[in-house]
Amino acid sequence: IRDSPMRIRDWTLRPENRCRWAAKTFRKDFKSMMTPKELAILAAKALDEKKGKEISAIEITDITTLADYFVIATGSSNTQINALCGSVEKLLEEQAGEKPLRREGYRDGTWVLLDYGCICVHVFSAEARSFYDLERLWADGKPLDLTGVLTQD
């Protein structure tokens, strides 16, 4: 009864346990756990290092169980979009020991999604970002202040 499916499901649906559950389930070598907010900030730093544009983060913890944060950025070309995603993957792997659970959109290069369980990183082309307008769709979420994280340009 201790490890019944219902008890495990209830534990994994709590926002503070989503990343921890994913790490234990899909990776056995996880190090110290970072909070979803820290991971979102780290992803924003990685995007900023590769000159991503219009970087924003939205806390959606209270709205959905999809993730705790969306980190959104714009790249100027397919090559830059893939470089931005590579930078996020490398930094989160090195500093947090996190690997994406799923990657989508690498072939198209107009919208790439990196799903880490507790955060989703969306990297768009300018046209795709204005078309999908995730900030409008998730307007009920709380914007995360990234002023101290991003460089001024």
Side-chain angles (χ1 to χ4, degrees), residues 45-136:
K45 283 181 187 176
L47 293 165
D48 189 51
E49 286 174 4
K50 291 290 182 184
K51 307 295 184 209
K53 297 181 179 129
E54 302 172 24
I55 301 168
S56 65
I58 306 169
E59 181 181 357
I60 56 171
T61 307
D62 300 331
I63 301 171
T64 183
T65 59
L66 291 175
D68 294 332
Y69 290 90
F70 278 171
V71 180
I72 306 166
T74 303
S76 57
S77 68
N78 293 358
T79 305
Q80 188 194 20
I81 290 170
N82 288 330
L84 289 167
C85 292
S87 175
V88 170
E89 288 184 68
K90 182 179 178 192
L91 193 64
L92 288 179
E93 172 77 26
E94 288 174 355
Q95 293 194 14
E98 294 284 342
K99 294 180 183 176
L101 302 174
R102 189 112 172 116
R103 294 178 198 95
E104 293 291 335
Y106 266 103
R107 286 189 211 135
D108 280 348
T110 58
W111 178 7
V112 178
L113 167 71
L114 300 174
D115 182 1
Y116 284 90
C118 56
I119 68 165
C120 287
V121 179
H122 301 269
V123 183
F124 290 97
S125 66
E127 300 82 26
R129 184 164 182 170
S130 64
F131 180 79
Y132 291 107
D133 199 7
L134 290 186
E135 288 91 343
R136 183 186 56 78

Side-chain angles (χ1 to χ4, degrees), residues 9-24:
R9 185 183 65 82
D10 291 342
W11 185 83
T12 58
L13 288 179
R14 283 190 229 137
E16 67 273 11
N17 294 329
R18 259 186 236 130
C19 286
R20 197 167 281 125
W21 174 80
K24 286 182 180 178

